[in-house]
Amino acid sequence: MTTDTELFLITGAAGKTGAHTVELLLERGHQVRALVHAVDERASRLAEHGAEIVAGDLLDFSAVSSAMRGVTAAYLCYPITPGLVDVTAIFAQAASEAGVHAVVNMSQISARREAKSDSARAHWISERMLDRTTLVTTHLRPTFFTNWQYDFWVRQGNEGIYRLPFGDVRHAPIDAADQARVIAAILQNPRPHDRQIYPLYGDKELNYYEIAAKVQETLGIPVRYEPIDIPTFAAGLVAAGVLPFRVQHLSSVAQDYLDGVFSGTNNLVEVIGGTKPRTIEDSVAATRSLFETDGVCGITDARLHAA
Ligand SMILES: NC(=O)c1ccc[n+]([C@@H]2O[C@H](COP(=O)([O-])OP(=O)(O)OC[C@H]3O[C@@H](n4cnc5c(N)ncnc54)[C@H](OP(=O)(O)O)[C@@H]3O)[C@@H](O)[C@H]2O)c1
């Protein structure tokens, strides 16, 4: 049941932050249009919760224009894949023509003019492009998400291994559900957040030795961290079938990580989203079954030897 005439457009709606945001806004009684890339079981779940589903490509101006009709505020979320600057231009033009009031833009903590990652630099350019519109605009710059804990997981018999090029540098992994609370809160009341850039962090800064220990404690199996160097990491990703744009991004931000770009904490999740961020133990426990098998990007022995 909806409580008002506001309509929120959520792009990347089947993805990690998008799906949680759709569900949260629906729970709060709002009308939600979910833009999905393809109609599949993820879209059906959103429809069952009450979302209006539209399928479309964010690179297709007429599809995005249609999706903007009647929208009050929109969440822009595009994955780490080529095309973000075009997507942002299309989104900004379509939203402006449709009289959309506000946008919440998913960016990255590594978004900088001088970023070596093509994805991070595209995020920085996209932020600046949106700042030049009349849309009330907020940029979110999260550190690494907690889904890294299973994406880069290697399950070897009864133990788990993380092979990552992160030395002993710390960051505070952030859960998609915590980001959704921030996104929903800003969409519901965007004006105080206009032109703000919000770095977002999870509960606590940890290095990968400490992350491995927490995952071990949660899953009840031995888990270790084996630091590797960035070229070995990049070659392992190629062996895992990761596409070149993403390999370029991940190996570039690995150096950023070592340089402390992903480190830090603040209280924005609690102040804007209304609750403290989840702990890593909570995030792992909520996705326990995923740890039975290798993560898609995990540097397994075979991938390590191919590297
Ligand atoms: N993961 C991290 O650690 C991290 C850290 C900081 C910032 N970020 C930022 O977070 C963003 C990704 O957010 P997320 O993880 O919530 O998203 P996500 O899970 O990667 O989902 C993105 C969604 O976009 C859809 N999509 C892909 N191509 C599309 C297209 N051409 N048109 C329309 N939809 C398309 C995908 O649909 P299909 O699956 O059906 O293709 C998917 O459902 C990126 O901008 C990234 O830079 C990520």
Side-chain angles (χ1 to χ4, degrees):
M1 195 184 79
T2 59
T3 57
D4 58 23
T5 54
E6 291 189 322
L7 172 63
F8 297 109
L9 174 68
I10 306 301
T11 67
K16 292 179 284 297
T17 55
H20 283 292
T21 307
V22 171
E23 287 171 19
L24 204 52
L25 288 167
L26 290 169
E27 276 166 31
R28 293 177 183 175
H30 295 292
Q31 297 183 68
V32 180
R33 184 174 292 153
L35 190 145
V36 294
H37 203 197
V39 177
D40 55 18
E41 69 289 347
R42 298 171 300 172
S44 305
R45 266 200 302 279
L46 299 175
E48 279 162 23
H49 282 92
E52 174 195 347
I53 305 297
V54 293
D57 192 321
L58 283 166
L59 285 156
D60 175 348
F61 181 56
S62 58
V64 177
S65 289
S66 307
M68 290 288 178
R69 271 189 217 122
V71 166
T72 314
Y75 173 50
L76 173 56
C77 178
Y78 185 71
I80 296 169
T81 196
L84 177 66
V85 173
D86 282 1
V87 160
T88 308
I90 286 168
F91 185 95
Q93 181 60 26
S96 302
E97 285 178 1
V100 172
H101 175 61
V103 55
V104 176
N105 173 40
M106 172 53 77
S107 183
Q108 290 173 1
I109 201 166
S110 41
R112 286 149 21 254
R113 193 177 200 287
E114 69 280 11
K116 297 283 189 299
S117 153
D118 294 339
S119 166
R121 198 179 50 253
H123 270 302
W124 183 83
I125 293 169
S126 295
E127 288 181 0
R128 302 292 71 74
M129 200 189 316
L130 286 167
D131 282 345
R132 281 165 175 71
T133 69
T134 56
L135 294 156
V136 170
T137 298
T138 312
H139 308 294
L140 305 182
R141 287 189 180 176
T143 188
F144 287 142
F145 296 5
T146 49
N147 65 284
W148 276 68
Q149 271 60 83
Y150 55 81
D151 281 354
F152 291 87
W153 167 256
V154 175
R155 177 76 187 228
Q156 202 165 276
N158 197 34
E159 70 167 353
I161 308 169
Y162 289 114
R163 293 189 176 108
L164 287 163
F166 291 156
D168 61 358
V169 177
R170 292 187 171 86
H171 77 297
I174 181 164
D175 199 279
D178 291 321
Q179 297 180 69
R181 274 189 284 280
V182 173
I183 297 160
I186 300 173
L187 288 171
Q188 290 174 275
N189 182 24
R191 181 61 69 189
H193 307 285
D194 190 23
R195 299 307 186 270
Q196 298 304 302
I197 294 176
Y198 292 139
L200 295 179
Y201 306 98
D203 164 64
K204 190 175 179 191
E205 284 187 290
L206 301 163
N207 63 37
Y208 259 88
Y209 296 102
E210 293 162 334
I211 289 174
K214 298 234 176 240
V215 177
Q216 169 166 310
E217 198 182 307
T218 309
L219 297 180
I221 61 168
V223 179
R224 64 192 155 88
Y225 166 48
E226 281 181 20
I228 55 177
D229 61 25
I230 294 174
T232 305
F233 176 57
L237 293 172
V238 172
V242 177
L243 295 176
F245 185 84
R246 203 173 278 237
V247 174
Q248 195 277 344
H249 167 68
L250 292 171
S251 45
S252 302
V253 295
Q255 185 58 52
D256 286 343
Y257 185 99
L258 292 173
D259 295 340
V261 171
F262 285 77
S263 302
T265 55
N266 60 28
N267 62 359
L268 286 174
V269 165
E270 185 174 7
V271 169
I272 302 173
T275 54
K276 282 189 188 297
R278 279 184 176 192
T279 64
I280 197 156
E281 293 93 323
D282 289 343
S283 295
V284 170
T287 51
R288 184 179 291 274
S289 61
L290 296 171
F291 292 83
E292 295 294 327
T293 54
D294 294 329
V296 282
C297 301
I299 311 296
T300 59
D301 281 354
R303 290 166 183 170
L304 190 65
H305 293 135

